[in-house]
Amino acid sequence: MAVISRGFLGRKRERRDDLPPGQYLTEDFPVLSAGPTPRIDTAEWSFAVQTESELHQWNWQQLHDLGPEDIATDIHCVTRWSKLGTSWRGVSLDKIFETVKTNYHFVMASSYGGYTTNLPLEDLLGGKAWIATEFDGAPLDPEHGGPARLLVPHLYFWKSAKWVHGLRMLPKDEPGFWEQNGYNMYGDPWREQRYW
Amino acid sequence: MTGVWKVGTVTAVHAETPTARSLQVEIPEWPGNLAGQHLDLRLTAPDGYTATRSYSIASAGPGTLVQLAVDKLPDGEVSPYLVDEVRVGDELELRGPLGGWFVWRPDQAEPVQLIAGGSGVVPLVAMIRAHEAAGSAARFRLLYSVRTPGDVFFAEELAGLQKASANLDITWVYTRRTPDGWPFPAGRVSPELLADATIPASDEPTVFVCGPTSFVETVADILVGLGHPAERVKTERFGGA
């Protein structure tokens, strides 16, 4: 049973259907990272998908040749802030996977700097995930994951790997960085899948 | 279990700075925690509305008495309650311990450089306490950046440890106003200062940096520039960008 906190009333509030349980709204764009921010020149940048049999690679220009699109979405961080109506530009993972053949159903995303996070492949397909290169009409700042980050806004934001460098297809789900350090394997904000 | 809400009772409160205070909370079901971990704290209003925030834990070890230290955010919802309202005997709901990355374990023998901005010192104090409690021979160095002398958390304890401990060295940095007679002008951390007052990369320390986002970004960039491998620099950031 919940303990009522003596003298606590909380902020004036309206019920919002677009805010997952346990989240609060922020106008800021807070940063959560485990280490220093890598700086990657777009001239050096590359993105790879490693399947059971093939390695697919894109450089910065080849990524953009796939056709970026505008994305309007809400984002939810496990540290409890949510930011609604954010605008991004990026390339849909559907376009990346058009030329990728795999029988594996799980993905380990990896980043410059060594960060990893795991996702089911189906969560990256069907217009639900992008490689984002712009935020609010400007190139993505390094501290927010630039030059390119994964954007998987229907999951907690640690799944949207900053400084994304590649995806490795896996036959079964394996834990990434935060998933080995106490956080949930899937991370659905609407089911509050924060921790182990 | 980490995921279960536990009830704790506030057993002591102490003003740390004009805007911050520490709370001792007795949590009978607390399983103990590693130095550097955090917890979730939940407040519930009479109508059932809840607000939850994460706070670093200043204490470490197997006990059920947990210490938090909370800085009041001007437009905060939970921190003003914890700093201004809560009193001894009040019950709080807590969940944790959480996080397995930004932690120091007593079996770590390598040198450790701690770098704190403001209330970012809280998880680093837990590490210093764990280091003392274990009688660890690992070399520990803390660089603690605050605006003014009145903004130091755990001031007496840290000053005492600085004198008493053979394996702990503390460097104070004042960004707005120094103590009277301080030999250096007030100023922010710089590459020169970090090169002078922290364990060099050649000694292969693990570095923990905690503070506001802009402070952590600045410090982590400088550390990488000084030759620390990025994977040995662990960071924890808070606040808006």
Side-chain angles (χ1 to χ4, degrees):
Chain A
M1 202 186 81
V3 172
I4 304 298
S5 310
R6 179 195 53 77
F8 177 71
L9 297 173
R11 286 213 179 106
K12 205 177 85 176
R13 51 198 173 263
E14 46 189 314
R15 212 182 116 66
R16 297 197 64 129
D17 292 332
D18 49 3
L19 198 59
Q23 297 292 108
Y24 64 90
L25 287 177
T26 181
E27 300 299 321
D28 293 335
F29 193 168
V31 172
L32 177 73
S33 317
T37 296
R39 315 273 158 180
I40 303 105
D41 192 332
T42 54
E44 309 288 318
W45 184 88
S46 70
F47 180 79
V49 177
Q50 173 74 63
T51 71
E52 55 271 44
S53 56
E54 280 186 297
L55 179 69
H56 304 258
Q57 277 190 293
W58 294 262
N59 65 24
W60 190 252
Q61 185 57 48
Q62 289 163 337
L63 176 79
H64 285 79
D65 289 346
L66 296 176
E69 59 193 61
D70 291 324
I71 307 134
T73 188
D74 303 338
I75 56 178
H76 311 291
C77 179
V78 71
T79 62
R80 297 182 178 278
W81 57 264
S82 289
K83 196 169 165 64
L84 304 184
T86 60
S87 49
W88 304 77
R89 196 164 166 80
V91 173
S92 167
L93 265 296
D94 292 315
K95 291 187 170 155
I96 292 282
F97 276 90
E98 263 174 23
T99 55
V100 173
K101 297 248 181 315
T102 179
N103 291 314
Y104 290 171
H105 295 291
F106 297 94
V107 178
M108 186 68 77
S110 60
S111 298
Y112 288 95
Y115 180 77
T116 56
T117 189
N118 57 301
L119 305 117
L121 177 58
E122 64 176 4
D123 285 83
L124 295 181
L125 303 177
K128 294 197 291 283
W130 297 265
I131 298 172
T133 56
E134 290 182 30
F135 176 76
D136 251 354
L140 191 57
D141 281 338
E143 69 179 58
H144 292 304
R149 77 180 296 163
L150 213 54
L151 178 64
V152 194
H154 69 287
L155 300 178
Y156 281 126
F157 216 43
W158 88 80
K159 296 286 184 182
S160 294
K162 295 184 206 177
W163 317 297
V164 70
H165 190 25
L167 306 176
R168 188 161 52 92
M169 301 306 306
L170 298 172
K172 63 183 180 57
D173 204 8
E174 291 176 20
F177 175 81
W178 286 120
E179 294 83 1
Q180 292 169 41
N181 284 289
Y183 289 81
N184 190 270
M185 286 292 274
Y186 185 65
D188 179 355
W190 296 97
R191 289 184 280 164
E192 261 203 288
Q193 295 174 332
R194 297 177 192 274
Y195 314 117
W196 291 344
Chain B
M1 263 178 55
T2 292
V4 177
W5 288 102
K6 307 165 178 69
V7 177
T9 304
V10 177
T11 58
V13 298
H14 176 72
E16 294 289 339
T17 79
T19 60
R21 75 176 177 182
S22 55
L23 308 174
Q24 295 269 16
V25 188
E26 169 64 27
I27 313 167
E29 293 172 59
W30 190 253
N33 62 275
L34 297 170
Q37 287 190 296
H38 59 277
L39 52 70
D40 278 357
L41 186 153
R42 178 167 76 180
L43 301 178
T44 303
D47 66 352
Y49 169 83
T50 62
T52 305
R53 298 291 185 275
S54 292
Y55 292 100
S56 288
I57 305 168
S59 51
T64 56
L65 194 60
V66 168
Q67 190 183 38
L68 308 177
V70 179
D71 199 15
K72 181 165 59 172
L73 300 174
D75 55 351
E77 182 176 26
V78 176
S79 61
Y81 179 85
L82 297 177
V83 173
D84 297 332
E85 181 68 34
V86 148
R87 54 190 186 225
V88 170
D90 281 347
E91 288 187 329
L92 298 169
E93 285 185 294
L94 309 117
R95 181 166 65 175
L98 302 169
W101 170 248
F102 197 84
V103 296
W104 182 80
R105 293 177 169 85
D107 61 1
Q108 289 180 237
E110 80 280 10
V112 172
Q113 176 67 53
L114 309 171
I115 303 179
S119 63
V121 78
V122 174
L124 308 186
V125 163
M127 295 181 193
I128 288 170
R129 289 170 168 177
H131 177 255
E132 283 296 309
S136 166
R139 183 179 174 205
F140 257 50
R141 216 168 161 178
L142 168 67
L143 185 143
Y144 186 6
S145 170
V146 289
R147 279 182 301 232
T148 75
D151 294 315
V152 176
F153 283 60
F154 305 110
E156 263 180 50
E157 180 180 349
L158 288 175
L161 283 172
Q162 185 174 19
K163 289 200 186 78
S165 173
N167 295 322
L168 173 69
D169 189 29
I170 303 179
T171 301
W172 308 86
V173 178
Y174 301 96
T175 61
R176 300 266 175 83
R177 184 168 58 75
T178 68
D180 292 340
W182 193 250
F184 308 105
R188 293 178 178 278
V189 293
S190 63
E192 295 72 27
L193 176 72
L194 285 181
D196 282 350
T198 62
I199 299 174
S202 55
D203 289 356
E204 302 185 347
T206 296
V207 188
F208 294 92
V209 188
C210 186
T213 295
S214 60
F215 175 85
V216 173
E217 283 291 316
T218 301
V219 168
D221 283 352
I222 295 172
L223 290 170
V224 171
L226 290 173
H228 293 270
E231 62 272 18
R232 297 194 74 96
V233 179
K234 300 191 174 197
T235 63
E236 192 150 276
R237 300 156 161 90
F238 55 79

